[in-house]
Amino acid sequence: MKDKGYDATGTLRANCLNQCLWEGVDSMKKMKRGTMDHPLNADENIILLCWNDNSVVTLGFTKHGISPLKNVQRFSQSEKRHIQVPCPDAVIRYKKHMGGTDRMDQNIVNYRVHIRIKKWWWPLFVFCLNTSTHNVWCSTESQLQPSGEASTTLVF
C-alpha cells in the first residue's frame, strides 16, 4: 500500500505478531500504565506500537508517529483517583478518526437486539438488522452534523 501512496493505521492482534521484537503482551501487562515499546521495520517504514493502558493496545501504522506524547486522563483503581497517563500521538489520532468497522462493531455491541431464538437463520437476520440500523444512524448523523445539531443514539 505504501508503494501506491496510501498510509494506514490499525489495531493488530497480539497472537499474530510472534516474530516481533518486543518482549510480549504478558510482560507488558505487568508494567505500569503508559509503558510502550515500538520497534520499527526500517525496510517498509512500518512502526509497531505496543502500549499499556487498561489493557495492552497493539497498533501498526505508517503515517503517524509516536511523538508528541500527550497525557490522557484515566481512573486508577489502586489510587482511587484520576491519573495522567502518557499516550502516543498515533493512538490519539486512531481513536479520533476511528470509523468504519470499528465504529460499527462498537455500536452493534452496545445496541444489540437481545432476542434469542434457536433457528439457524436468526443470528444472520439479527446481524443484518443491527448493521442496517447502524448504517441508517451513520447516514442520519452525517446529514445532521453540518447543520450543527447534536445527534445521539437516544434521539435517533
Side-chain angles (χ1 to χ4, degrees):
M1 286 180 52
K2 188 74 172 167
D3 297 338
K4 296 184 180 188
Y6 294 106
D7 290 314
T9 301
T11 56
L12 303 168
R13 292 183 179 205
N15 61 353
C16 297
L17 300 170
N18 56 358
Q19 298 177 356
C20 290
L21 302 175
W22 56 61
E23 301 170 14
V25 174
D26 295 331
S27 63
M28 285 291 288
K29 285 180 185 177
K30 296 175 185 173
M31 296 180 184
K32 67 176 189 168
R33 282 174 132 175
T35 305
M36 70 183 100
D37 191 10
H38 47 87
L40 169 67
N41 183 347
D43 297 337
E44 299 181 22
N45 198 19
I46 299 173
I47 299 173
L48 299 174
L49 171 69
C50 193
W51 177 61
N52 191 14
D53 192 20
N54 289 336
S55 63
V56 178
V57 177
T58 310
L59 284 174
F61 49 92
T62 59
K63 183 174 183 171
H64 308 296
I66 305 284
S67 59
L69 289 177
K70 296 181 181 175
N71 286 330
V72 292
Q73 188 173 0
R74 299 287 190 259
F75 185 78
S76 173
Q77 289 289 344
S78 61
E79 298 178 22
K80 303 291 187 215
R81 64 181 182 90
H82 286 90
I83 59 172
Q84 297 293 321
V85 177
C87 180
D89 186 51
V91 175
I92 292 172
R93 288 179 185 247
Y94 175 75
K95 289 174 77 172
K96 180 180 178 184
H97 299 291
M98 182 178 74
T101 304
D102 293 329
R103 180 67 68 199
M104 184 181 83
D105 289 343
Q106 184 179 20
N107 286 342
I108 285 177
V109 166
N110 289 335
Y111 306 108
R112 175 170 290 169
V113 174
H114 293 289
I115 299 173
R116 293 181 58 192
I117 296 178
K118 294 187 178 184
K119 299 291 183 184
W120 67 267
W121 49 266
W122 183 253
L124 299 173
F125 174 75
V126 169
F127 178 77
C128 292
L129 183 66
N130 288 332
T131 305
S132 61
T133 305
H134 166 75
N135 290 340
V136 168
W137 180 75
C138 285
S139 65
T140 305
E141 171 110 2
S142 66
Q143 291 174 358
L144 292 177
Q145 288 261 326
S147 64
E149 296 178 33
S151 165
T152 63
T153 53
L154 185 61
V155 172
F156 173 71

